Amino acid sequence: LGEDGYRLIDLEVYPENGRNHIVGVWRKSSRRHIFRAGMTWATFVDHHATARLDGYRAIDLEPYVENGAVRYAALWERSDSRDKVWKTASKSEFQAKWKEFAREGYRLFNIEIFVEDGRRKYAGIWHRGSGNYRLWMSDGWDGFREKHRSYSRQNLRLVDLEVDIQNGSRRYSGVWQAN
């Protein structure tokens, strides 16, 4: 698809029949992209720093389990805009960082919730931005749908959705930004 002018902009890694599979969303774009998989968090941070120096910003981060350990796949696109990445084991710390980065002029673009070393972790990618936006975390489907309706009435659009399994039930989190 790259030879036809399409670029991978979103990916999901999922296990099936004992193997990890990657599914992606492609968009027609002339921007250059970088894709890396199989990274530890430290390797991701190193790749991220190098990519930023080379004029790229992160657009997707995907944690997955490989051989019993969490690994990361990531996408970067060529951009003049800056970004930030953050990972923590505390939902309240993640929400505090969301507010801090917002005050600095960054908007959450991608959220990931996953289990690593037996603990729930929260990771995100923030892009430079302004305007109204919202984060809603860890609700059941009905509560999530109601938030989506409410935010849609405020002219906010869903830009990222995360589904997390907690105690056997699905929990939905999302990021909305101004249209």
Side-chain angles (χ1 to χ4, degrees):
L1 291 173
E3 292 175 4
D4 292 331
Y6 288 88
R7 301 293 179 254
L8 186 60
I9 61 164
D10 188 31
L11 63 101
E12 293 292 322
V13 180
Y14 65 93
E16 185 174 86
N17 298 324
R19 294 182 52 209
N20 282 327
H21 297 267
I22 299 174
V23 63
V25 176
W26 297 75
R27 170 181 69 201
K28 194 90 162 161
S29 174
S30 60
R31 288 187 178 181
R32 294 185 47 94
H33 282 66
I34 300 171
F35 168 71
R36 298 277 185 271
M39 299 178 287
T40 64
W41 181 255
T43 304
F44 165 73
V45 170
D46 288 345
H47 277 294
H48 183 69
T50 301
R52 286 184 76 187
L53 290 173
D54 291 340
Y56 288 83
R57 70 177 177 177
I59 60 170
D60 196 18
L61 176 66
E62 185 67 27
Y64 62 95
V65 176
E66 184 174 84
N67 297 323
V70 172
R71 293 291 181 252
Y72 300 87
L75 294 169
W76 292 266
E77 71 177 359
R78 173 80 74 187
S79 175
D80 295 333
S81 184
R82 303 303 287 165
D83 67 353
K84 292 182 180 264
V85 297
W86 182 259
K87 180 177 101 167
T88 183
S90 164
K91 180 179 175 181
S92 61
E93 186 177 318
F94 186 85
Q95 290 170 320
K97 190 58 68 171
W98 177 75
K99 291 175 184 176
E100 175 188 327
F101 286 166
R103 287 189 301 271
E104 294 174 12
Y106 288 86
R107 299 294 184 254
L108 186 63
F109 183 77
N110 176 252
I111 184 173
E112 299 296 331
I113 303 171
F114 57 102
V115 175
E116 182 178 40
D117 299 326
R119 296 184 67 195
R120 188 157 315 290
K121 301 284 177 91
Y122 305 85
I125 298 170
W126 284 258
H127 289 175
R128 272 267 183 223
S130 61
N132 194 9
Y133 92 123
R134 297 284 188 271
L135 168 65
W136 185 254
M137 295 180 71
S138 300
D139 203 348
W141 180 245
D142 291 337
F144 180 84
R145 282 183 44 201
E146 182 51 41
K147 272 299 167 196
H148 179 64
R149 284 187 202 107
S150 171
Y151 292 155
S152 293
R153 287 190 296 271
Q154 298 171 43
N155 291 320
L156 298 173
R157 65 182 173 90
L158 184 64
V159 297
D160 195 41
L161 169 67
E162 180 67 12
V163 181
D164 179 39
I165 306 295
Q166 295 180 24
N167 301 320
S169 66
R170 287 184 190 91
R171 308 301 290 171
Y172 299 86
S173 298
V175 179
W176 289 260
Q177 293 181 358
N179 284 329

